[in-house]
Amino acid sequence: MRRYIGYREFVQRDQRSLVGTALLLTGSHEQAIRLALRSFQTVALSWPPPVWENPTTHAQIALYRRFLARPSAAGPTALVRLPPRQRLLAVACLHDGRSHAEMAAALGMPEETVQAEITEAVDTLTKGDRARLVKRMSTAAGEASVPDLSARSMRTLRRRRNRGVLLTVAAALVPVGLIAAFVMLQRAEVWNSALGERNRPHAAQAQEPVRAVSSPAPSATPAPWQAPRTSSVIRYAIPGRCPGQGVQADGTSPARAGDVTCAGWTLKLVSGGSESSTPGLPACEGADPCESTLSVPDAAQRLARGDGGKHHRLVPAISHDGRRIAYLSAAERRYVAHDLGSGVKRYLSPVLASADTENGTLVSVSANGRHFTVTLGERRLRTDFTTGDLTSVPAEQLPPTEKAAAWLGKRYDTWADSPSGRYSAAIVAGKGEDPHSLHVIDAESRRVFRRLSLPETERPATAEVVSWLDTREVVVRMSAGDGGEPLGLFRVDAVTGRARPLPGLPADAPIVLGAAVTS
């Protein structure tokens, strides 16, 4: 072991700092120690280091690359909920002191990307306060429990040396064995496989029937969706067909809490002319308005609760002008938003942990389409799409409809909140033969603002609130009371009660409205 002189001292000197860095990346002491040991082993392969190489830098770069190759996250800290690459860049540059140029060269990416990722991480974790994040990382790394790794590292080197000796001996014996086997084989008999079957005359060979072997099924996990740049707007979205409950999106069973068990939404787009210049959208040959469909395969529909196949239902949020859509990405496990006009994509949340979705999760959009709010348990994350700024919403700043959610839940089975956050709309079943009615609730004062009659139908009907068409009109789905046959969607004025049919929309499936009115 003369070759490894100085290696034990190197491990003893750098083990605390390396385990601290690994703890920030993984959130687990066990995983941090395992990651640090493998990084030390990488340095040992080229020990002693050349005079121009710093072994500490070598170990850190090895740790970064091993982490990216197999990222992991454990623990309740907000840092480990960042995407792996963003988390690594923040730790390497803010805690380890690596420059942006060094990390760009080590990971093979532009320096501007490194800068942008770090800025986003600082904004997400400490609202732009870099000094506070550095101090928080230093405190967390200092709490690492670090055993003496030098003895374990040296044992690994000894095992590697012994394994090398055995492989050398085996390599020397293989040619000898082949020569002996060749001499001992009977004449004209050749062994053609490791199964020990000898060649026989052709006539004596049994003919094995040809079998069709299917190729492995492709992964069901969709790739992240990229919105096309188009002048079309989203009129509405409907969910795709889901498999049975309680299984993951790739067909395995059972699903764990927080797993996306179904994904895929279809958008109905509409524009005032031909879309032949937009890739992926068909030309309408002068039709006005031009309608087309667009699939969003990674938009999640269901999220497993982990309690016997039950799940949370997820719906996207579409701005009222139909130009922006936000949803939970099954591919990236975080909320994203897209602008169809510019093709810009924004991240609305960190990568979700199972604790974030225990009580369900949802995304909403402001009346002007600029702000998206993601609800993760008790947390509210609001993103300004124009600037990309993400902030946490304090409880006192929640809109009246969210503050009154528990009160509404005791009185109504389902309801829909207005874009202004001031009013809610709910259906109330009539007593006896009395028809259903629409209640418009002032969430701030928690009183019924309007009691409105529903559209008259030829047959007894039931109703449910779909959503608000704008800040004044509510969309209601009517169904036959005897068999549930859909009777259509209606737009009801929340002030006057005037009801009008809303044609051209599917009434027999769940629907999320965007720019639903085209004329």
Side-chain angles (χ1 to χ4, degrees), residues 143-435:
E143 295 174 353
S145 177
V146 185
D148 185 8
L149 303 181
S150 60
R152 294 171 65 176
S153 299
M154 296 304 293
R155 283 198 301 269
T156 301
L157 293 180
R158 293 189 184 95
R159 285 197 298 268
R160 181 181 290 113
R161 182 192 61 181
N162 295 338
R163 192 182 303 119
V165 172
L166 291 175
L167 290 175
T168 302
V169 173
L173 292 177
V174 165
V176 176
L178 290 176
I179 295 173
F182 181 80
V183 172
M184 295 175 63
L185 283 176
Q186 298 181 16
R187 191 172 184 178
E189 291 185 347
V190 181
W191 294 74
N192 61 7
S193 75
L195 299 176
E197 297 177 353
R198 290 180 289 181
N199 284 345
R200 299 295 181 188
H202 183 75
Q205 291 183 356
Q207 297 295 321
E208 182 179 359
V210 178
R211 296 180 302 153
V213 181
S214 61
S215 61
S219 173
T221 303
W225 182 66
Q226 182 59 50
R229 295 189 60 178
T230 174
S231 60
S232 297
V233 297
I234 305 170
R235 190 179 185 200
Y236 61 84
I238 56 175
R241 186 175 180 180
C242 281
Q245 298 182 12
V247 297
Q248 298 183 39
D250 58 3
T252 60
S253 179
R256 300 172 300 175
D259 285 340
V260 174
T261 58
C262 180
W265 284 78
T266 299
L267 309 181
K268 175 65 73 173
L269 305 183
V270 62
S271 74
S274 173
E275 284 293 335
S276 59
S277 61
T278 302
L281 296 182
C284 295
E285 299 180 356
D288 190 10
C290 169
E291 290 193 350
S292 56
T293 58
L294 186 63
S295 176
V296 187
D298 75 325
Q301 286 189 47
R302 297 191 315 212
L303 199 66
R305 290 171 49 179
D307 50 358
K310 297 181 180 179
H311 64 271
H312 299 290
R313 180 170 173 263
L314 303 178
V315 297
I318 304 175
S319 62
H320 287 279
D321 62 4
R323 299 188 181 280
R324 291 174 178 170
I325 180 172
Y327 57 88
L328 176 62
S329 169
E332 301 181 83
R333 295 188 58 81
R334 61 195 302 190
Y335 277 96
V336 298
H338 296 271
D339 183 277
L340 268 61
S342 63
V344 173
K345 174 182 178 181
R346 298 286 190 194
Y347 288 110
L348 309 182
S349 75
V351 175
L352 303 189
S354 57
D356 294 325
T357 60
E358 286 181 356
N359 299 318
T361 177
L362 59 89
V363 59
S364 59
V365 60
S366 62
N368 61 4
R370 176 168 177 171
H371 297 92
F372 290 89
T373 302
V374 174
T375 301
L376 303 174
E378 298 298 324
R379 293 193 300 158
R380 305 291 191 279
L381 304 178
R382 180 171 296 160
T383 301
D384 185 327
F385 193 94
T386 303
T387 64
D389 293 337
L390 185 148
T391 57
S392 180
V393 183
E396 58 271 14
Q397 294 183 12
L398 294 178
T401 50
E402 291 197 40
K403 293 180 180 179
W407 180 85
L408 290 166
K410 294 178 181 178
R411 289 159 176 79
Y412 306 99
D413 293 332
T414 59
W415 66 93
D417 298 333
S418 68
S420 65
R422 174 70 183 274
Y423 301 102
S424 295
I427 298 295
V428 177
K431 296 181 180 179
E433 297 183 357
D434 294 340

Side-chain angles (χ1 to χ4, degrees), residues 485-499:
E485 178 185 349
L487 301 178
L489 297 176
F490 296 83
R491 50 194 296 189
V492 181
D493 191 302
V495 177
T496 66
R498 180 190 178 192

